């Protein structure tokens, strides 16, 4: 076998079942090797950002990494934004990046020659370049091991073309993966004592503890102690809705966070860092923890936050589940113009049980979530690193991870243009994904931020930089051109009918919701 075949077999032996790729000449031996490994599925994406976002969504829903196949430094650079999001989420991703043959890399004038290690290093927690074809398999096993380090890392292996095509010995054995760190019993006891001291307390949660087992344990703690339950605004994944305790979302804007946290005397961090603002603003704080509020660490992101919550609940003798969300079936909005609140009410009413909601909405988010947080039980995966446009790519990965579950992606019109090729992959793979594009014909969040950062008296050139009217984007035609059924809704009645049909029909669908 050659080096590429040894690598593909090693990845499969190590539990990698899918490879999202946008390959080029340097990766052809890897692509050919996929035909000789039945355990690994290859999924073509037409842009590297979709590759990265799909790998992120897949891992968030399975807890295990996918592989990506990227073409030299520029190909990796195209994937960096959504790899940045994945890194902020603590998502495991295995990147295989083709490079020039070692004999060719000396020719700096070759068009695709780049400082590939510097490019990849910007978002990689583990980075290595294979030196010979006989090293490739062992390097691949170490790459998977690094990606699976708790809670998940971006691991990148640079594969020179000759290391892929030259003869190699055999695949490498999978390497052991260390479990998450266990929280010391003394820490559990210290936090339990703090929760009994009568101070106003909140648990700030992030990571796997926001999935069902962790949320249920946190609900027991809240019921026994009166502590509030929070999650940060851009959390990687959360299971919520009917039958689970409600976890409050920390607001987006600095002044709203300050008001939200006001009066707290203790914040217990559960897999979460202390809260800070998204950006700096003139005259507003970036550090938003109240001045006299104590920060207590129950579990770091590298520790078993679910186990820590369960142990804490048991130490407190907290057995009652506490107050659980009861699904609210919103009234169907009266016929009229569509806005985010009416759209959220319709989605919450018609969305099936156990759906997956992939969300990078910003200005529409508040209205959507007003109803959805009391909707049917579902998993919610969010923008984590601030690089917009990954709702649809993450939905690709989530749907391939969970093919029997309905996936709904909600994004803005400006954000959607960052990753439009994801629609083609949905059509090619026949994925059961409904994409909702909130079309307000502007970068609305930037119109809001324009005043908040003190950029006063904007003129026509400034406003034109934030406007999407000239020309108006036609998402129906764009989606249809990539093989996805699409429609446009301008009223509540139109949106309700189109969304109901999408929920009752399998396959990819796009709804352009004009707000």
């Amino acid at each position: 076998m050659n080096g590429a075949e040894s690598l593909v077999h090693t990845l499969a032996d190590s539990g990698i079942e899918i490879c999202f790729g946008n390959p080029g000449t340097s990766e052809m031996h890897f692509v050919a090797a996929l035909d000789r490994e039945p355990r690994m599925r290859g999924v073509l994406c037409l842009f590297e950002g979709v590759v990265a976002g799909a790998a992120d969504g897949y891992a968030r829903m399975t807890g295990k990494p996918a592989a990506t196949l990227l073409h030299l430094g520029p190909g990796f650079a195209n994937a960096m934004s959504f790899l940045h999001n994945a890194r902020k989420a603590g998502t495991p991703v295995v990147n295989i990046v083709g490079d020039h043959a070692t004999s060719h890399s000396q020719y700096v004038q070759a068009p695709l020659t780049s400082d590939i290690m510097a490019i990849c290093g910007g978002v990689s927690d583990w980075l290595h370049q294979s030196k010979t074809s006989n090293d490739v398999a062992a390097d691949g096993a170490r790459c998977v091991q690094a990606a699976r380090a708790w809670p998940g890392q971006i691991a990148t292996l640079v594969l020179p073309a000759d290391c892929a095509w030259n003869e190699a010995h055999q695949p490498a054995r999978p390497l052991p993966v260390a479990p998450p760190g266990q929280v010391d019993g003394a820490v559990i006891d210290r936090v339990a004592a703090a929760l009994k001291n009568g101070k106003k307390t909140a648990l700030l949660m992030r990571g796997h503890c926001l999935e069902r087992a962790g949320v249920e344990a946190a609900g027991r703690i809240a019921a026994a102690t009166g502590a509030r339950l929070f999650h940060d605004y851009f959390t990687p994944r959360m299971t919520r809705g009917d039958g689970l305790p409600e976890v409050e979302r920390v607001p987006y804007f600095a002044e709203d966070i300050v008001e939200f946290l006001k009066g707290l005397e203790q914040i217990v961090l559960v897999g979460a860092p202390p809260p800070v603002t998204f950006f700096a603003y003139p005259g507003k704080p970036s550090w938003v923890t109240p001045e006299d509020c104590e920060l207590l660490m129950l579990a770091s992101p590298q520790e078993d936050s679910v186990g820590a919550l369960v142990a804490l609940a048991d130490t407190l003798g907290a057995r009652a589940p506490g107050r659980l969300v009861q699904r609210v079936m919103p009234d169907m909005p009266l016929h009229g113009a569509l806005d985010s609140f009416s759209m959220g009410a319709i989605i919450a009413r018609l969305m099936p049980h156990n759906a997956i909601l992939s969300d990078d909405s910003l200005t529409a988010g508040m209205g959507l979530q007003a109803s959805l947080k009391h909707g049917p039980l579902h998993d919610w995966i969010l923008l984590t690193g601030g690089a917009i446009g990954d709702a649809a790519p993450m939905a690709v990965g989530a749907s391939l991870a969970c093919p029997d579950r309905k996936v709904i992606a909600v994004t803005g019109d400006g954000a959607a243009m960052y990753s439009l090729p994801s629609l083609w992959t949905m059509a090619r793979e026949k994925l059961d994904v409904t994409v909702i594009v909130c079309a307000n014909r502007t970068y609305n969040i930037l119109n809001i931020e324009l005043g908040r950062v003190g950029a006063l008296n904007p003129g026509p050139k400034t406003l034109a930089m934030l406007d999407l009217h000239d020309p108006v984007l036609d998402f129906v035609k764009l989606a249809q051109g990539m093989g996805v059924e699409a429609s446009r809704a301008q009223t509540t009645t139109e949106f309700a009918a189109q969304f109901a049909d999408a929920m009752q029909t399998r396959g990819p669908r796009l709804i352009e919701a004009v707000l």
Side-chain angles (χ1 to χ4, degrees), residues 18-21 43-45 47-62 64-68 79 82-83 86 91-93 381 389-401 419 422 425 431:
I18 194 166
C19 176
F20 299 98
V43 176
L44 176 62
C45 304
F47 178 63
E48 294 89 342
V50 178
V51 169
D56 187 7
Y58 176 90
R60 293 201 204 185
M61 296 311 303
T62 62
K64 57 187 179 183
T68 74
F82 295 160
L83 288 173
T91 300
V93 178
I381 56 178
D390 68 349
M394 285 201 303
V396 168
S399 185
L400 285 161
S419 54
S422 57
T425 301
L431 302 181

Side-chain angles (χ1 to χ4, degrees), residues 460-495:
K461 287 192 288 185
T462 298
L463 297 176
M465 291 293 289
L466 312 180
D467 181 73
L468 302 180
H469 279 93
D470 186 18
V472 170
L473 294 161
D474 189 333
F475 283 95
V476 173
K477 289 182 179 178
L478 289 166
Q480 290 172 342
M482 284 182 277
V484 173
E485 182 181 350
S487 55
R488 180 177 295 109
Q490 296 179 287
T491 68
T492 54
T493 305
E494 291 171 345
F495 182 80

Side-chain angles (χ1 to χ4, degrees), residues 256-341:
D256 295 333
I257 304 175
V258 169
E259 186 62 29
F260 183 79
L261 301 178
K262 188 176 180 179
L264 286 176
E265 298 170 281
Q266 298 176 140
I267 296 176
V268 178
L269 303 174
V270 190
V276 296
T277 59
F278 199 74
F279 296 106
Y281 297 94
K284 294 182 174 67
S286 295
W287 179 264
V288 288
T289 299
E291 186 175 344
D292 297 325
C293 181
E294 184 179 4
L295 293 171
L296 304 168
M297 176 72 76
L298 174 64
S300 74
Q302 289 72 41
E303 293 176 317
D304 180 6
S305 57
V306 177
L309 284 170
V310 171
L312 179 58
D314 291 343
T315 299
L316 291 165
R319 295 180 176 82
R323 195 165 139 194
L324 305 179
V325 171
Q326 300 297 316
R327 181 177 181 181
V328 175
M329 190 71 79
D331 293 332
M332 192 62 75
L334 297 174
H335 177 76
L338 191 62
D339 62 25
S340 62
F341 286 91

Side-chain angles (χ1 to χ4, degrees), residues 1-25:
M1 65 177 61
N2 60 31
E5 290 170 313
S6 74
L7 176 58
V8 168
H9 293 318
T10 297
L11 295 178
D13 289 343
S14 301
I16 304 296
E17 298 174 345
I18 194 166
C19 176
F20 299 98
N22 186 266
T25 303

Side-chain angles (χ1 to χ4, degrees), residues 41-109:
R41 179 177 183 173
V43 176
L44 176 62
C45 304
L46 301 188
F47 178 63
E48 294 89 342
V50 178
V51 169
D56 187 7
Y58 176 90
R60 293 201 204 185
M61 296 311 303
T62 62
K64 57 187 179 183
T68 74
L69 184 61
L70 301 166
H71 185 44
L72 288 96
F76 188 93
N78 281 342
M80 283 183 71
S81 290
F82 295 160
L83 288 173
H84 163 80
N85 287 346
R87 191 183 192 194
K88 289 289 187 179
T91 300
V93 178
V94 170
N95 297 310
I96 307 300
V97 187
D99 192 18
H100 287 314
T102 53
S103 61
H104 191 71
S105 59
Q106 62 182 305
Y107 300 113
V108 295
Q109 67 268 38

